[in-house]
Amino acid sequence: MSVRPARARRAAAAVLATAAAVALLAACGSGGHHATAAPATASAGSGGAHGADAPSEAAGSAASGPKVPDSRLTPPGGGAFSAPEKKYLSGRVPKGEDPVAVLEGGQEVCDRLTRTSAIDPAVAASAVVTGDISLSGATAAVRTLCPDQAYVVTAAAHGFGDGTHPVAARAVAGTSVAPGRYRAPSVSPTCTWRVTGADGTTLASGAAATPAKAVLTVAPGARTVSSSGCYAWLPPITAPAPSASASPSTSPGAPSSPSATPSGRTS
């Protein structure tokens, strides 16, 4: 597993935020349906509460510690959570904590993924690879609150960030890289990479100052892959095509509304 210093993560978050901001501004200028989308904080953070040193993690946890029983998971103002909301909250709400606050943490993660993937799924996945949005938080939120974003999290789990990583038959997020073709959607001017074989020889290497040229192939016989200044490498990622029989609001590729006010609450 590689180690990503705080400075490298800050740089990665800044580049990803810039990429998302440019895309959002372009959408606004073209009069597209993204004209009212949130600023770059919806994708890669901008140094606020969820900046480069504080990854977006859904509030609450399934870790050890007393949790609110499922039977008592109700909004403070009355009413009831929806089935997906209650499934997300199950085992995640520490005793004494407002379940609505925990739910909003998961919805925030969904909001960031949904808004950014609508413009560029690779940028959304990169935010997860670099740790600006935690993989565990994204996985938990997507599983129940925004399943249409599962393809983004899957791509992130098969991607990898800067550092040196061993190559294995199957990718393990944060541990190993699988053979295949990868690209870096946002890079620094000093992005470089190297793929080595079992005897340490260089099988492939390169440098790129633009994302268009940041493409590498990890051969099946490779032993390690390393990069610097490239931030996040991803396998091919494509949004699922809408089902012909599904309505626009329910199709797999349509953005969901993960930030809807929980049942029983008024906005």
Side-chain angles (χ1 to χ4, degrees):
M1 181 183 298
S2 62
V3 176
R4 294 190 292 268
R7 183 171 59 182
R9 288 183 56 192
R10 282 195 294 269
V15 170
L16 292 173
T18 300
V22 170
L24 286 166
L25 288 173
C28 291
S30 63
H33 69 281
H34 300 301
T36 58
T41 51
S43 60
S46 61
H50 296 295
D53 294 322
S56 280
E57 170 69 83
S61 172
S64 60
K67 300 294 186 297
V68 176
D70 289 0
S71 61
R72 297 181 61 185
L73 288 174
T74 56
F81 292 113
S82 67
E85 292 170 345
K86 197 162 187 177
K87 185 175 180 180
Y88 173 77
L89 291 171
S90 179
R92 296 188 63 87
V93 184
K95 284 191 174 181
E97 188 165 338
D98 182 358
V100 171
V102 175
L103 177 61
E104 288 176 344
Q107 290 173 330
E108 179 187 353
V109 170
C110 283
D111 281 342
R112 298 184 69 188
L113 292 175
T114 300
R115 289 172 177 168
T116 310
S117 66
I119 299 168
D120 189 344
V123 174
S126 293
V128 178
V129 172
T130 60
D132 187 49
I133 299 176
S134 80
L135 179 59
S136 61
T139 300
V142 164
R143 186 179 294 120
T144 54
L145 300 179
C146 50
D148 60 305
Q149 297 301 304
Y151 76 102
V152 173
V153 176
T154 297
H158 287 79
F160 60 96
D162 283 336
T164 299
H165 310 268
V167 178
R170 298 182 64 182
V172 176
T175 301
S176 61
V177 175
R181 187 175 177 84
Y182 300 84
R183 78 178 186 93
S186 302
V187 301
S188 76
T190 58
C191 169
T192 59
W193 64 88
R194 180 171 179 253
V195 181
T196 63
D199 56 358
T201 58
T202 298
L203 301 179
S205 63
T210 62
K213 296 183 177 180
V215 180
L216 70 80
T217 298
V218 178
R223 177 62 61 86
T224 66
V225 58
S226 59
S227 74
S228 176
C230 306
Y231 306 131
W233 294 93
L234 298 168
I237 175 172
T238 304
S243 171
S245 60
S247 65
S249 61
T250 60
S251 63
S256 62
S257 301
S259 59
T261 302
S263 302
R265 302 183 68 225
T266 57
S267 57

